Amino acid sequence: MRLLSLLGASPGVLHTVLCLLLREDTAPEQVTVLATLPEVAEEALEIARSCPCPWTGNPPLQESAAVELVTLPYSDVDTAEKARDLRRRVAELLTPDTVVDVTGGRKSMAVAAAVEAAVRGAPIIAAQLKRWDKYFEAALSGDKCGKTAPESAVLIKF
């Protein structure tokens, strides 16, 4: 399975989603991160490679997983033209075994990516925090492993 994960300004979401997938005995062989901010994407990969999942004790991004980082040339999908561009980029990245993760990124990114995934028949997932205060706790954490919250999230499959 290939995971195509959207990422905006919250570097912990990739780790959260990967941990939730591992809890379901699913480990992607390939992870593609589609990001608005390259520095946040690099931090997300570092968190996923080094912070343990609460139920496995191991980092969720396996060393054997192929990783691809795709940085968008804009920080937000705030025009129809950018939404079309994002859909085109998502379409180019989709393979028959791709699951699209819309947890991260701006809302408009998630909508555009979900529309493209749905049109092409790709599964869509998202991690939903069960407690809103965990979002702020993760966002404000000075500890890299504190920026993720898989124990406070559920995986939704669309």
Side-chain angles (χ1 to χ4, degrees):
M1 183 258 284
R2 176 183 184 189
L3 180 68
L4 173 57
S5 187
L6 303 182
L7 188 64
S10 300
V13 298
L14 177 63
H15 179 278
T16 296
V17 169
L18 288 170
C19 285
L20 292 171
L21 286 170
L22 281 177
R23 188 165 64 183
E24 296 186 357
D25 292 323
T26 304
E29 296 89 34
Q30 182 175 0
V31 175
T32 300
V33 177
L34 185 57
T36 57
L37 303 167
E39 63 277 6
V40 176
E42 291 295 336
E43 184 180 9
L45 292 172
E46 179 185 341
I47 290 168
R49 287 182 176 126
S50 61
C51 297
C53 293
W55 35 85
T56 67
N58 297 313
L61 186 55
Q62 310 296 314
E63 289 297 323
S64 60
V67 176
E68 178 184 21
L69 175 57
V70 178
T71 305
L72 295 170
Y74 39 83
S75 62
D76 196 0
V77 178
D78 54 4
T79 66
E81 181 181 332
K82 290 177 185 175
R84 283 189 296 275
D85 178 70
L86 180 68
R87 285 188 63 186
R88 180 188 55 77
R89 290 170 189 270
V90 168
E92 290 172 356
L93 294 168
L94 290 177
T95 62
D97 67 336
T98 301
V99 173
V100 178
D101 165 32
V102 296
T103 305
R106 304 292 291 242
K107 285 180 183 69
S108 53
M109 281 181 71
V111 170
V115 166
E116 192 60 34
V119 164
R120 297 186 180 273
I124 304 163
I125 62 171
Q128 176 68 44
L129 289 175
K130 295 182 276 186
R131 293 180 28 218
W132 188 243
D133 61 319
K134 279 294 192 180
Y135 173 81
F136 296 107
E137 186 180 311
L140 299 173
S141 179
D143 172 47
K144 70 178 177 180
C145 294
K147 294 181 180 190
T148 181
E151 70 286 349
S152 298
V154 295
L155 193 64
I156 300 170
K157 297 176 183 178
F158 298 93

